Amino acid sequence: MGQYKKHWFTLIALCIVMFSLLGYFGADIYRSAPPIPTQVVSSKGKALFGKDDILDGQTAWQSVGGMQLGSIWGHGAYQAPDWTADWLHRELTAWLDLAAKERHGQPYAALTEGQQGALRAELKAEYRANGVDAANKLVVSERRATAMAQTATYYDQLFSDAPALHKSRENFAMKENTLPSAKRRQQLTHFFFWTAWAAATERPNSRVTYTNNWPHEPLIGNTPSSENVVWSIASVVVLLSGVGFLVWGWSFLHKHDEPQPVAPHQDPLATFALTPSQRALGKSLFLVVALFVFQVFIGGFTAHYTVEGQQFYGIDLSQWLPYSLTRAWHIQSALFWIATGFLAVGLFLAPVINGGKDPKFQKLGVDVLFWALVFVCVGSFVGNYLAIAQKLPPEWSFWLGHQGYEYVDLGRIWQILKWVGILLWLVLMLRGVLPVLFARSKEDKNLLALLTASVGAIGLFYGAGLFYGERTSLSVMEYWRWWVEHLWVEGFFEVFATTALAFVFSSMGLVSRPMATSASLASASLFLLGGIPGTFHHLYFAGTTTPVMAVGAAFSALEVVPLIVLGHEAWENWRLKNRAPWMAHLKWPLMCFVAVAFWNMLGAGVFGFMINPPIALYYIQGLNTTPVHAHAALFGVYGFLALGFTLMVLRYVRPQLVFSEGLMKTAFWGLNAGLVLMIATSLLPIGIIQFHASVSEGLWFARSEAFMQQPLLQTLRWVRTFGDVVFIVGAVAMAWQVVIGVLGQRAPTTPSRTALATAGH
């Protein structure tokens, strides 16, 4: 470790402490998850349904697309309602009408304000009371049982092909007969009831519900808890403190006068012959842009469903390609192509680290990994289709079809095979890295050690997504799901990207190895300090307790801190193009890395913190403010990173390639402008309007059919088309540049690549 002992001890200590927090409160999630009653009975003893019915309903919901069709507890898609908030409000209003007719002989709306107030007080007392007895049996009043039955009838019709609700299905972008089995529709209603019950019922010995009073529902006093407000303020204080300490640390600890190394006359990475495994990466780069273009087009197709619901410019395609399916494909293809871009740059660097040599059978491993990725991608997409089309037996749907959970939509078998592929990548990487890492030499290997650690984390931590099952509690499932989406992607991929870039630039002689090592270790510590326990900020209202909210709010605020100073990183990356004439060939990969820094600041930083404090997320979880952050952070950061890596690898595996200025300007500025237009002209305005409705009326209203179909919001959804078209043009230009590069002149097999190494004078 040498001069980096303090850096390493800081990083290791942080990981130990932060993972201890994540594990300790994760165990609390297991203990405190909302109970699933063994039996739900009326006050007269009539059995309504049981635990197995609720869990069967959960699997039915998963099979129709789960979080890709509406949302549960705020997590999922945004066109259909949040089923928790919607069921709760419908059941409450049904109860009030039943009570009004029993007491006063007229509907609730016709009562005086005093009469309504008295019924609302009775309603709140009944619904917030925890009716689960010592035997885990839930007893509901006869009136509530009737209200539940009325609400269930509506959902039974909605998920069938009942003509009376055809317009609603169209507005919700649901296909006709979404769930053909009447029995499974009944079970689905039991599951929806349970999610709403957990959102309305107070925990024992507590004044907040199992979901920390979410969603906002004034009828029963679901408003932000005092802890919500306190920890929201605390998160802002933590953010300001973190920014302040970062500025002081940067000012006093950073070596401002450290001289830059003299850039070499030729590119060191281009001075040795490409290995067979590196030359084999061309098809992986093709896979990146093929999936990228598919994702972009299917995303535009999906966005159009928010306008026409079941049609694409008048053509009814929803029976074959419904919104829930195309949205699942849109998200899964993004994860596939971004991950493939990261895997490709790792496989390119492995021989570089190994002195320009391939371990035995390395090319075979690269080829097997490529075809494995293709197989898993195609297989999972077919499985998604068969599940949502209800063509799979119910017991196979979770395993081969659709898990129902956003970002891990692929069936469990495909998820396991994907992890096997990632582990194969890990093995291929370690075969090239470990011999050098453990070789006896005086060379500084600290940066290589950090790169190796990040590679190991990427390989291993995807497996966290296998720690829940088909019938696991939603709270527990959410805990492990966010290990994949937040910790694996936003944590360890971030560390890998930072370290890989530092390794590349230092290997090029553009940045000194000590500076690159120190910066990478410090960045890793900053990312993981907030990133590991910050996973909990996705779980404020997922059936967790106040300590989870406290930890999530405080530490996720720290995630934003390193993003504040990324303008400096962007400037440093931009300056590299002038460090040596041959860097002109890497202009466009560098431009992508500059874009990464910008979107990290805006998409992950500003838009991320916009929805981060508990008080903010309380009102806007499940609204269009969430995809603002998701698009700007997932594509803006990790998408541009993957594209930058793709262009960089392409430049080396096709040495004669000269990037087309016209294509690259169209690609780069089209993607950035399209993303800005998509957010500024559609997603963000809709989200802000919904936010006001959520605060004033409740989440049910902000996601309701009546609100979402008003002319202004319809117009804003149409306006998104302009941004989508600009983005699509940029994506096609980027893909075409990569395709003609991959299909162009291949690298010479002789050691001489001096023409590329010294080009640019």
Side-chain angles (χ1 to χ4, degrees):
M1 292 185 182
Q3 60 180 311
Y4 306 108
K5 279 186 178 180
K6 291 182 180 178
H7 292 82
W8 278 110
F9 285 148
T10 299
L11 177 59
I12 293 170
L14 279 174
C15 286
I16 292 172
V17 173
M18 296 305 112
F19 272 112
S20 296
L21 280 174
L22 190 63
Y24 178 82
F25 289 107
D28 181 63
I29 291 174
Y30 274 83
R31 291 190 298 267
S32 60
I36 301 178
T38 53
Q39 195 73 34
V40 180
V41 300
S42 71
S43 55
K44 291 185 178 180
K46 180 183 178 182
L48 302 177
F49 49 87
K51 180 177 181 178
D52 285 340
D53 297 305
I54 294 171
L55 291 176
D56 287 339
Q58 179 174 318
T59 65
W61 166 71
Q62 292 165 334
S63 73
V64 298
M67 290 180 177
Q68 302 301 353
L69 183 63
S71 57
I72 292 290
W73 291 349
H75 292 294
Y78 312 102
Q79 184 65 12
D82 178 88
W83 305 118
T84 302
D86 190 67
W87 176 289
L88 179 59
H89 189 75
R90 288 180 183 277
E91 186 185 325
L92 295 177
T93 53
W95 187 100
L96 288 171
D97 266 333
L98 289 169
K101 289 173 183 177
E102 289 175 15
R103 298 279 179 82
H104 306 286
Q106 51 187 331
Y108 174 78
L111 302 183
T112 65
E113 186 174 338
Q115 291 170 329
Q116 288 182 344
L119 289 181
R120 285 199 304 272
E122 187 179 341
L123 174 80
K124 179 179 177 180
E126 178 172 338
Y127 272 76
R128 293 187 70 90
N130 195 314
V132 178
D133 61 20
N136 198 29
K137 181 185 293 184
L138 173 61
V139 181
V140 298
S141 69
E142 294 298 319
R143 184 186 299 154
R144 183 171 186 178
T146 304
M148 290 161 54
Q150 290 181 4
T151 308
T153 298
Y154 165 80
Y155 281 100
D156 178 74
Q157 292 183 335
L158 181 66
F159 281 79
S160 71
D161 55 1
L165 291 179
H166 167 74
K167 188 62 179 176
S168 293
R169 285 190 291 276
E170 189 176 75
N171 290 334
F172 296 156
M174 297 173 63
K175 72 186 184 80
E176 296 298 306
N177 219 13
T178 300
L179 191 57
S181 167
K183 179 180 179 181
R184 299 196 82 200
R185 288 198 302 270
Q186 183 183 48
Q187 293 166 339
L188 179 70
T189 65
H190 302 330
F191 172 65
F192 285 171
F193 161 78
W194 174 79
T195 69
W197 169 81
T201 300
E202 293 181 355
R203 288 182 180 276
N205 305 313
S206 174
R207 299 181 64 183
V208 296
T209 69
Y210 285 104
T211 57
N212 284 312
N213 283 0
W214 187 94
H216 181 214
E217 178 50 84
L219 286 177
I220 56 169
N222 262 17
T223 56
S225 64
S226 56
E227 293 86 357
N228 185 310
V229 176
V230 168
W231 287 107
S232 297
I233 295 172
S235 72
V236 176
V237 173
V238 169
L239 171 63
L240 295 176
S241 302
V243 171
F245 282 115
L246 180 63
V247 171
W248 276 79
W250 178 267
S251 301
F252 285 92
L253 300 178
H254 181 65
K255 297 180 180 179
H256 300 279
D257 56 350
E258 181 172 331
Q260 290 185 328
V262 177
H265 292 294
Q266 59 185 30
D267 183 352
L269 296 185
T271 56
F272 56 86
L274 286 170
T275 67
S277 73
Q278 288 176 318
R279 288 197 295 273
L281 290 174
K283 55 184 175 292
S284 295
L285 305 184
F286 181 83
L287 180 62
V288 169
V289 294
L291 285 171
F292 175 41
V293 170
F294 173 79
Q295 188 232 345
V296 170
F297 274 95
I298 205 71
F301 186 88
T302 304
H304 189 78
Y305 271 146
T306 67
V307 178
E308 288 196 85
Q310 295 180 336
Q311 298 182 335
F312 185 75
Y313 293 100
I315 304 173
D316 186 0
L317 298 176
S318 63
Q319 290 305 299
W320 300 279
L321 299 172
Y323 173 91
S324 55
L325 175 64
T326 60
R327 191 175 187 271
W329 283 353
H330 175 64
I331 292 176
Q332 282 304 305
S333 56
L335 296 180
F336 272 116
W337 75 258
I338 290 172
T340 302
F342 277 76
L343 302 189
V345 75
L347 293 172
F348 172 78
L349 287 177
V352 173
I353 295 167
N354 200 32
K357 303 186 297 293
D358 270 343
K360 195 174 183 180
F361 302 121
Q362 185 80 351
K363 179 183 181 299
L364 176 63
V366 170
D367 290 338
V368 169
L369 177 60
F370 169 78
W371 291 112
L373 287 173
V374 172
F375 177 71
V376 170
C377 184
V378 173
S380 64
F381 281 16
V382 172
N384 289 160
Y385 171 81
L386 293 175
I388 291 174
Q390 298 293 296
K391 295 182 182 298
L392 285 176
E395 62 271 16
W396 291 6
S397 185
F398 179 85
W399 288 92
L400 287 175
H402 201 299
Q403 290 189 45
Y405 300 127
E406 201 172 24
Y407 300 111
V408 282
D409 303 270
L410 68 176
R412 176 53 58 87
I413 294 294
W414 306 111
Q415 185 185 16
I416 293 171
L417 292 177
K418 182 177 179 179
W419 191 36
V420 170
I422 294 170
L423 291 176
L424 173 59
W425 173 79
L426 173 60
V427 171
L428 294 174
M429 289 294 299
L430 294 181
R431 294 174 78 236
V433 172
L434 291 183
V436 179
L437 186 64
F438 292 113
R440 292 186 176 182
S441 69
K442 294 183 179 180
E443 183 183 357
D444 181 359
K445 299 176 184 177
N446 284 275
L447 186 59
L448 181 58
L450 182 60
L451 180 64
T452 306
S454 67
V455 166
I458 289 174
L460 297 175
F461 274 84
Y462 183 76
L466 303 176
F467 284 9
Y468 62 86
E470 182 178 8
R471 298 165 79 86
T472 297
S473 162
L474 275 185
S475 300
V476 172
M477 177 282 301
E478 287 283 23
Y479 174 67
W480 291 114
R481 181 172 77 94
W482 286 109
W483 270 62
V484 176
E485 170 53 19
H486 179 93
L487 193 55
W488 185 63
V489 175
E490 299 180 38
F492 294 116
F493 266 116
E494 186 88 54
V495 174
F496 171 78
T498 300
T499 310
L501 283 176
F503 187 88
V504 168
F505 293 147
S506 63
S507 298
M508 288 177 172
L510 303 175
V511 179
S512 72
R513 183 59 62 94
M515 180 184 295
T517 304
S518 298
S520 297
L521 285 167
S523 297
S525 297
L526 283 173
F527 287 137
L528 298 180
L529 170 63
I532 295 173
T535 304
F536 285 136
H537 85 259
H538 299 283
L539 305 175
Y540 295 155
F541 313 118
T544 58
T545 54
T546 298
V548 169
M549 180 188 295
V551 172
F555 283 95
S556 60
L558 291 175
E559 288 185 85
V560 182
V561 172
L563 307 181
I564 300 297
V565 296
L566 284 179
H568 178 78
E569 177 185 314
W571 169 245
E572 291 294 331
N573 287 340
W574 174 248
R575 286 202 308 168
L576 289 176
K577 69 182 180 63
N578 299 319
R579 295 276 288 118
W582 45 266
M583 280 297 291
H585 292 290
L586 294 174
K587 169 189 173 182
W588 289 108
L590 284 177
M591 288 290 285
C592 288
F593 300 144
V594 171
V596 168
F598 171 78
W599 288 108
N600 229 336
M601 179 275 297
L602 182 63
V606 176
F607 292 148
F609 193 73
M610 175 180 73
I611 63 173
N612 186 74
I615 190 66
L617 198 59
Y618 179 85
Y619 289 110
I620 61 182
Q621 178 162 286
L623 305 185
N624 276 266
T625 44
T626 305
V628 167
H629 165 61
H631 282 84
L634 186 58
F635 175 76
V637 179
Y638 299 99
F640 267 119
L641 258 176
L643 292 176
F645 284 146
T646 298
L647 293 175
M648 185 175 71
V649 173
L650 176 64
R651 188 66 194 87
Y652 286 108
V653 300
R654 296 293 185 267
Q656 310 307 318
L657 171 66
V658 176
F659 289 122
S660 164
E661 283 293 303
L663 275 178
M664 290 311 304
K665 285 181 179 178
T666 302
F668 181 81
W669 295 111
L671 292 172
N672 278 286
L675 188 55
V676 168
L677 287 171
M678 184 192 310
I679 291 170
T681 65
S682 183
L683 290 176
L684 187 57
I686 292 173
I688 292 172
I689 294 169
Q690 283 185 294
F691 171 50
H692 182 270
S694 179
V695 173
S696 58
E697 298 288 339
L699 179 72
W700 68 271
F701 180 65
R703 290 279 296 273
S704 68
E705 181 178 4
F707 184 82
M708 291 297 290
Q709 297 305 315
Q710 59 182 302
L712 174 59
L713 296 190
Q714 279 280 63
T715 301
L716 287 172
R717 288 196 291 274
W718 271 110
V719 166
R720 177 176 167 173
T721 304
F722 296 106
D724 286 354
V725 169
V726 172
F727 192 90
I728 288 171
V729 170
V732 171
M734 177 69 75
W736 185 241
Q737 174 65 90
V738 173
V739 169
I740 61 177
V742 170
L743 298 179
Q745 185 173 356
R746 292 177 176 269
T749 56
T750 61
S752 175
R753 293 168 63 199
T754 309
L756 170 64
T758 59
H761 287 285

